[in-house]
Amino acid sequence: MEPGAREAVMALPRDNFGNVERQATRAVAPGADWIQWVHMVRNVMARTFLTLGAFEWVALGYLAFSSVTIAIFSRNLAHPWKLIGVQALVATIILVLSVVGARAEAAAESTGFTVTTQFWRFWRHWYPHLYFLFCFEELAYLVHLVNPNWQDAKLIAFDHWMFGVHPSVWLEQFSTPLRNDFFQLAYLTYFVYLLALGGILYYRKEWNAYWSVMTYSAVGYAIGYVIASVFPVESPWFAMAGMWKGELHGGPFTATINFIEHYGRVRGAAFPSEHVAGSVAALWGAWRHKRWLFWVMLPLVLAMCVSTIWGRYHYVADIFGGIITGTLGFVIGSWIMKRRPAPARPIAAEL
């Protein structure tokens, strides 16, 4: 307190001394509360960042990059600020799950697992799948973020130059209900790869391997998301409509795919194939962390790649793009994991 302030306070009535002292202190130290609040926010942020692993940094980095890009090219979108707001909400959910999950882990280490801690551990580890789904569905609004024109003609020309035919049209001659259903089943296996590999690692509590696999996928997907928003491609299903003799008829697996495509199809975001990118990233993860699973997945992934052409969902160029981005996801993700491994778990007191 500055010279003379103490004497001024002492002159006030004794019964009001405490209140006046606090008022006098604030009066002679303007901004003290603001500085204290800033320090508190910085400490909270620092503790929050401690709970983030490589996956979170990749996920939040993509959301930040995407939001900045949306702001820059906002004139090309119908509701850019709504999109940014939704991305901010998703980022907040990721931060909350990271903090609450770390608290649950710390509590479990000291008192044992309860239903509550098991609940938060589950969501802390499995929310990445919902994040991937959100980002993919969001591409329906971002495919013309930079370029207003579809680029399918370039990929159609590439495929024809490479094979001398349009692959998806040429394959129609071999179509039968049984073959159609087989390849639609192969297409559906895409949804199992990361779940199966992640589930095995989660069950065995191999946390660093688990988050490595999620990070490979996050990097591979993020590269694909960015490319799709710069180089919009519809897919043969739209761009080549009318070139086939008829629809692909099959059994229950064909009906399942038709149902999924009806309610979840994204028009655009075909290049690179995110199905292939995610599958290849998971395949590389199996190679590194569960070699026996790699040999189980390999023929399924190959059949799935063919199914994307058979089902008229992708060009061959999309498959090549997915293989490259999935592999890049593995390479870059491995490099990131060496510098920022599985999420830290600070003791409960720090949180």
Side-chain angles (χ1 to χ4, degrees):
M1 189 175 292
E2 296 180 358
R6 174 67 63 177
E7 291 75 4
V9 171
M10 291 298 294
L12 296 173
R14 168 70 63 174
D15 57 341
N16 288 331
F17 178 80
N19 292 334
V20 174
E21 170 69 14
R22 285 190 292 272
Q23 294 171 8
T25 302
R26 283 195 294 269
V28 298
D33 288 348
W34 169 254
I35 294 173
Q36 184 178 14
W37 183 83
V38 170
H39 283 304
M40 180 185 69
V41 171
R42 289 177 60 186
N43 289 337
V44 170
M45 291 178 63
R47 297 188 196 108
T48 299
F49 290 154
L50 283 175
T51 68
L52 303 181
F55 174 87
E56 278 76 30
W57 286 110
V58 173
L60 294 172
Y62 168 74
L63 290 174
F65 177 83
S66 181
S67 293
V68 171
T69 308
I70 290 172
I72 294 173
F73 295 97
S74 60
R75 65 184 181 280
N76 297 333
L77 301 172
H79 304 288
W81 304 113
K82 287 184 179 179
L83 292 172
I84 292 176
V86 172
Q87 290 191 334
L89 176 61
V90 171
T92 301
I93 292 173
I94 291 175
L95 292 173
V96 170
L97 281 174
S98 298
V99 171
V100 176
R103 285 185 174 182
E105 292 284 351
E109 289 179 356
S110 58
T111 62
F113 278 102
T114 64
V115 173
T116 300
T117 55
Q118 290 279 18
F119 174 84
W120 288 114
R121 165 183 271 191
F122 175 84
W123 283 110
R124 175 69 179 87
H125 287 79
W126 289 97
Y127 83 87
H129 298 275
L130 297 178
Y131 168 80
F132 295 145
L133 180 61
F134 161 77
C135 291
F136 179 74
E137 292 297 324
E138 185 189 41
L139 288 177
Y141 304 96
L142 300 180
V143 287
H144 292 305
L145 177 64
V146 177
N147 191 336
N149 302 312
W150 295 114
Q151 303 299 308
D152 291 70
K154 296 180 176 65
L155 302 190
I156 293 173
F158 174 85
D159 279 12
H160 194 273
W161 168 79
M162 174 168 285
F163 298 101
V165 295
H166 299 296
S168 57
V169 176
W170 181 79
L171 285 172
E172 187 179 19
Q173 63 185 301
F174 305 105
S175 174
T176 67
L178 183 60
R179 288 173 185 152
N180 293 340
D181 227 37
F182 169 78
F183 281 110
Q184 298 293 26
L185 172 61
Y187 189 71
L188 280 171
T189 60
Y190 156 77
F191 298 101
V192 177
Y193 305 142
L194 191 59
L195 287 171
L197 177 57
I200 292 170
L201 296 173
Y202 181 86
Y203 176 77
R204 296 179 62 85
K205 296 181 173 58
E206 298 178 21
W207 305 124
N208 195 69
Y210 179 92
W211 284 111
S212 294
V213 170
M214 293 301 160
T215 303
Y216 307 155
S217 299
V219 175
Y221 280 134
I223 295 172
Y225 299 150
V226 172
I227 294 174
S229 64
V230 175
F231 188 75
V233 173
E234 283 187 292
S235 83
W237 183 276
F238 296 104
M240 300 177 67
M243 296 183 67
W244 297 283
K245 296 177 181 178
E247 297 181 2
L248 296 174
H249 299 285
F253 299 114
T254 301
T256 301
I257 284 293
N258 290 338
F259 176 83
I260 294 174
E261 292 293 326
H262 178 74
Y263 290 100
R265 181 187 296 276
V266 172
R267 184 166 187 171
F271 180 85
S273 170
E274 298 293 0
H275 281 74
V276 175
S279 300
V280 169
L283 191 63
W284 279 117
W287 172 266
R288 170 163 291 181
H289 302 289
K290 285 287 175 282
R291 189 67 57 87
W292 65 268
L293 186 59
F294 168 86
W295 295 112
V296 174
M297 290 172 55
L298 181 59
L300 297 175
V301 171
L302 293 175
M304 191 277 300
C305 290
V306 175
S307 76
T308 64
I309 309 300
W310 186 283
R312 306 164 183 175
Y313 309 122
H314 287 286
Y315 306 103
V316 174
D318 301 339
I319 308 306
F320 292 157
I323 292 173
I324 292 171
T325 54
T327 301
L328 284 174
F330 171 71
V331 173
I332 299 173
S334 298
W335 179 82
I336 294 174
M337 284 299 297
K338 291 178 180 178
R339 286 149 182 79
R340 182 75 185 191
R345 293 185 295 172
I347 61 174
E350 290 181 345
L351 295 173

